[in-house]
């Protein structure tokens, strides 16, 4: 099958390679000349046979919006755009209206798998019409992980791919997925910190590695933490600054809008905000209050600076 891929970075580039290994023809475009097969979006569209399928894998927000607006003018009725970045689901609904006015189909695809997707496959959550999804199904089948089998050797349906609903459902599902991811990473991080804080535990990386088999908390994220600790046992080579890419915030916003209690995911999001503060104003206020009502000692800035290693 033929596909146009726009955006050949870490995700788009690896997805392109996985599709080519599955004998699909991919025409790639990227702003970086050395990566691309064609020099412009018009060239990309011209290189594809109708009905065309074009996958957009560029940063969410204005880059995605501008790309889809240009594609909608270039493509023909019956063609399909797949938007696979980390866009907000409400943006998809706006893009869908724009595309439908031109007779172009639109699918939003939440994609999970990171840099490991090339070898392991990508989990795909898509939104769109049944007709549009069916047109792109061979592409989704090549990208998703191999299906697991039950005890009788029968392939188990559903694993790694879902048509979640109409346009917006794919990115909404990925948004919730990433919110859960925030909470899982926070829990593993807190467990690591407690293990490292006590003298009783002599092999922190070993304890965490022991959890990867036979326990109820084993997961791919835990495997990745083990890998990180093998490379840097005390995590001395990195800082504790953690960004958020938007999905965690959007998940909490939707929880509020729909009156769904989500204390764990919300706390993990706020913990990332705390990670960006060298000297938390909140904790300054807490220290000052403890001093005011209880006479508890506070550490002066000068003393704190003097204790820092040279």
């Amino acid at each position: 099958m033929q596909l146009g891929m726009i955006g050949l970075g870490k995700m788009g580039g690896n997805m392109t390679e996985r599709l080519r290994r599955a004998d699909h023809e991919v025409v790639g475009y990227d702003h970086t000349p050395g990566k691309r097969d064609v020099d412009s979006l018009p060239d990309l569209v011209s290189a594809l046979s109708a009905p065309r399928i074009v996958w957009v894998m560029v940063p969410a927000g204005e880059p995605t919006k501008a790309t889809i607006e240009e594609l909608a003018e270039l493509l023909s009725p019956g063609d399909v755009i797949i938007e696979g970045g980390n866009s907000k689901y409400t943006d998809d609904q706006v893009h869908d209206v724009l595309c439908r006015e031109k007779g172009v189909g639109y699918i939003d695809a939440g994609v999970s798998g990171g840099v490991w997707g090339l070898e392991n496959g990508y989990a795909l959550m898509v939104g769109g019409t049944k007709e549009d999804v069916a047109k792109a199904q061979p592409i989704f089948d090549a990208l998703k992980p191999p299906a697991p089998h039950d005890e009788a050797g029968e392939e188990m349906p559903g694993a790694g791919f879902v048509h979640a609903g109409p346009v917006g459902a794919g990115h909404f599902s990925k948004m919730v997925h990433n919110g859960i991811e925030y909470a899982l990473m926070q829990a593993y991080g807190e467990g690591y910190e407690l293990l490292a804080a006590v003298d009783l535990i002599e092999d922190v990386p070993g304890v965490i590695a022991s959890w990867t088999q036979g326990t109820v908390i084993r997961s791919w994220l835990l495997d990745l933490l083990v890998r990180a600790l093998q490379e840097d046992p005390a995590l001395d080579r990195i800082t504790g600054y953690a960004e958020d890419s938007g999905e965690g915030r959007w998940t909490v916003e939707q929880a509020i809008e729909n009156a769904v209690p989500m204390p764990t995911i919300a706390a993990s999001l706020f913990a990332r905000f705390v990670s960006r503060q060298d000297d938390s104003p909140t904790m300054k206020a807490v220290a000052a209050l403890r001093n005011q009502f209880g006479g508890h000692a506070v550490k002066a800035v000068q003393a704190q600076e003097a204790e820092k290693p040279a």
Side-chain angles (χ1 to χ4, degrees):
M1 188 172 184
Q2 197 179 49
L3 176 79
M5 179 69 76
I6 301 172
L8 302 174
K10 292 179 182 178
M11 290 285 283
N14 281 348
M15 290 165 64
T16 295
E17 177 60 24
R18 185 173 175 87
L19 288 168
R20 286 173 174 163
R21 290 181 184 180
D23 295 326
H24 293 288
E25 179 187 350
V26 183
V27 180
Y29 171 73
D30 193 274
H31 287 303
T32 304
K35 292 182 177 181
R36 63 197 187 196
D37 302 311
V38 294
D39 295 328
S40 67
L41 291 187
D43 288 347
L44 177 85
V45 172
S46 296
L48 300 174
S49 301
R52 305 169 186 85
I53 299 178
V54 180
W55 193 306
V56 178
M57 206 67 185
V58 302
E62 189 56 37
T64 292
K65 178 176 180 289
T67 302
I68 289 173
E69 287 176 350
E70 185 174 355
L71 278 176
E73 295 296 330
L74 294 169
L75 294 173
S76 303
D79 295 345
V80 175
I81 295 172
I82 304 172
E83 203 283 273
N86 284 329
S87 295
K88 194 171 186 179
Y89 78 98
T90 49
D91 291 345
D92 294 311
Q93 294 162 345
V94 174
H95 297 154
D96 182 49
V97 171
L98 171 67
C99 291
R100 296 292 165 189
E101 289 175 350
K102 306 292 185 179
V104 175
Y106 183 90
I107 297 172
D108 62 295
V111 183
S112 181
V115 296
W116 302 90
L118 173 59
E119 301 299 333
N120 299 337
Y122 300 88
L124 304 168
M125 300 141 267
V126 307
T129 67
K130 291 181 179 180
E131 294 75 17
D132 289 338
V133 172
K135 290 179 183 178
Q137 194 64 55
I139 299 298
F140 298 140
D141 289 342
L143 288 172
K144 72 179 184 180
H149 292 74
D150 61 21
E151 294 179 356
E154 295 294 324
E155 186 175 294
M156 298 172 63
F161 172 83
V162 63
H163 180 191
V167 168
H171 281 144
F172 192 98
S173 300
K174 180 60 165 31
M175 174 191 76
V176 176
H177 166 281
N178 281 24
I180 294 169
E181 180 185 296
Y182 277 40
L184 287 172
M185 288 193 287
Q186 183 68 22
Y188 286 138
E190 291 173 4
Y192 164 79
E193 182 174 359
L194 180 56
L195 289 170
V198 300
D199 295 332
L200 183 64
I201 304 300
E202 297 178 349
D203 184 2
V204 174
V207 171
I208 292 175
S210 76
W211 296 343
T212 61
Q213 298 294 326
T215 73
V216 297
I217 63 167
R218 63 189 184 274
S219 73
W220 184 45
L221 279 175
L222 186 62
D223 294 341
L224 293 179
L225 178 57
V226 170
R227 180 186 175 93
L229 290 171
Q230 287 172 342
E231 296 172 354
D232 185 6
L235 300 181
D236 290 328
R237 299 201 297 266
I238 59 174
T239 68
Y241 185 103
E243 274 289 3
D244 68 287
S245 56
E247 295 94 337
R249 300 184 189 212
W250 302 336
T251 303
V252 173
E253 287 172 2
Q254 284 300 307
I256 295 169
E257 187 170 324
N258 292 280
V260 174
M262 200 169 275
T264 305
I265 292 176
S268 68
L269 173 65
F270 295 144
R272 294 198 181 191
F273 298 162
V274 171
S275 79
R276 301 166 203 169
Q277 297 177 326
D278 292 329
D279 195 9
S280 168
T282 298
M283 296 317 296
K284 285 185 177 183
V286 170
L289 285 168
R290 293 182 75 247
N291 177 259
Q292 290 294 321
F293 72 71
H296 301 288
V298 294
K299 184 175 288 189
V301 172
Q302 295 88 340
Q304 188 177 35
E305 289 295 327
E307 291 178 3
K308 289 183 178 180

